[in-house]
């Protein structure tokens, strides 16, 4: 049976998570209106309807909040990517265009990601995006080869093709962001797809077209 102290701790944890989520949402909304360098702690606290002291209870500064917001968005993006689905009659549905999903997400939050993935950005976020892309690529290939695939939160073995693909995608996305997203997401997906397919022409674990849906 949970004690009063345990229940109080759980309520405190929930309150902390709600506050952090509210601060992240506020930062993302403000970043749609102005650059990250123009957003202050006071701006975030006022719009989130919390005190500045409450902000500092959770984050050191706006940059750390932005890093947390982007990390959470990447996790949500990976969770939202559909797995290969099977219809009621047993037929497979068309796989989602995950490259389009990937570039569309970055385009929707271009200014924020441009700040954090640039030369003066967050090495922690860059590493997080790279690792998530590596895991997502590995899962896609594993499923295409006939397996269910591990959950994306599970550690995966060292897989060179998956790591190579993740690095290539991240490099293309960063270059695209830093240049001001000169091409729309659908064009980026179309241009990137054959390049990634070429990486797997000699990979016998999964077909190239299945691999690059990551």
């Amino acid at each position: 049976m949970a004690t009063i102290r345990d229940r109080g701790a759980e309520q405190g944890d929930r309150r902390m998570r709600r506050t952090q989520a509210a601060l992240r949402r506020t930062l993302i909304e403000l970043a749609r209106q102005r650059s990250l360098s123009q957003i202050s702690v006071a701006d975030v606290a006022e719009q989130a309807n919390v005190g500045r002291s409450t902000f500092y209870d959770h984050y050191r500064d706006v940059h750390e909040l932005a890093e947390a917001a982007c990390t959470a968005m990447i996790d949500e993006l990976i969770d939202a990517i559909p797995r290969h689905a099977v219809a009621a009659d047993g037929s497979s549905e068309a796989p989602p265009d995950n490259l389009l999903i990937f570039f569309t997400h970055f385009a929707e939050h271009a200014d924020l990601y441009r700040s954090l993935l640039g030369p003066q950005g967050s090495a922690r976020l860059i590493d997080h995006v790279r690792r998530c892309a590596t895991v997502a690529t590995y899962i896609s290939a594993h499923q295409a080869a006939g397996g269910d695939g591990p959950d994306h939160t599970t550690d995966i073995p060292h897989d060179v093709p998956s790591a190579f693909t993740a690095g290539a995608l991240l490099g293309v996305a960063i270059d695209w962001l830093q240049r001001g997203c000169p091409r729309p997401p659908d064009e980026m997906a179309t241009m990137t797809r054959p390049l990634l397919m070429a990486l797997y022409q000699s990979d016998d674990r999964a077909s190239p077209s299945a691999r690059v849906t990551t």
Side-chain angles (χ1 to χ4, degrees):
M1 177 180 294
T3 66
I4 294 177
R5 178 178 297 179
D6 291 336
R7 289 194 293 272
E10 291 174 1
Q11 291 173 354
D13 289 342
R14 287 196 295 270
R15 185 163 51 248
M16 179 184 70
R17 290 193 294 270
R18 286 196 299 268
T19 300
Q20 290 176 343
L23 291 171
R24 293 195 302 267
R25 288 194 301 269
T26 298
L27 187 279
I28 291 168
E29 185 59 34
L30 288 172
R32 297 180 188 275
Q33 305 165 19
R34 66 190 90 158
S35 67
L36 187 62
S37 62
Q38 296 176 318
I39 301 174
S40 68
V41 170
D43 293 331
V44 177
E46 180 180 359
Q47 185 147 326
N49 197 29
V50 302
R52 291 184 63 175
S53 60
T54 299
F55 179 99
Y56 288 118
D57 285 340
H58 300 279
Y59 301 104
R60 292 193 303 270
D61 51 30
V62 170
H63 189 273
E64 185 177 62
L65 170 59
E67 185 180 80
C70 287
T71 297
M73 283 197 295
I74 291 296
D75 288 341
E76 291 168 2
L77 175 67
I78 298 298
D79 286 338
I81 290 177
R83 303 295 185 244
H84 295 296
V86 178
D89 61 1
S91 61
S92 295
E93 297 178 359
D97 188 345
N98 290 343
L99 280 175
L100 180 57
I101 293 172
F102 176 82
F103 284 110
T104 298
H105 172 78
F106 277 84
E108 289 175 351
H109 306 282
D111 289 339
L112 188 55
Y113 280 117
R114 188 177 297 117
S115 297
L116 291 178
L117 298 179
Q120 306 303 318
S122 167
R124 182 178 301 175
L125 178 62
I126 291 173
D127 183 65
H128 187 75
V129 175
R130 179 191 59 76
R131 286 188 290 107
C132 285
T134 299
V135 173
T137 302
Y138 180 86
I139 291 173
S140 177
H142 193 88
Q143 290 176 328
D148 293 331
D151 185 81
H152 81 274
T153 59
T154 304
D155 288 337
I156 65 171
H158 180 228
D159 187 75
V160 172
S162 298
F164 194 97
T165 300
L169 275 174
L170 181 57
V172 169
I174 290 176
D175 180 73
W176 176 60
L177 287 167
Q178 295 304 314
R179 294 175 185 273
C181 301
R183 301 177 187 274
D186 58 341
E187 187 174 344
M188 289 300 296
T190 298
M191 294 181 67
T192 304
R193 186 173 295 104
L195 301 175
L196 297 182
M197 288 176 66
L199 298 176
Y200 296 100
Q201 289 179 347
S202 62
D203 187 355
D204 60 3
R205 290 171 301 171
S207 66
S209 59
R211 272 283 193 170
V212 299
T213 56
T214 299

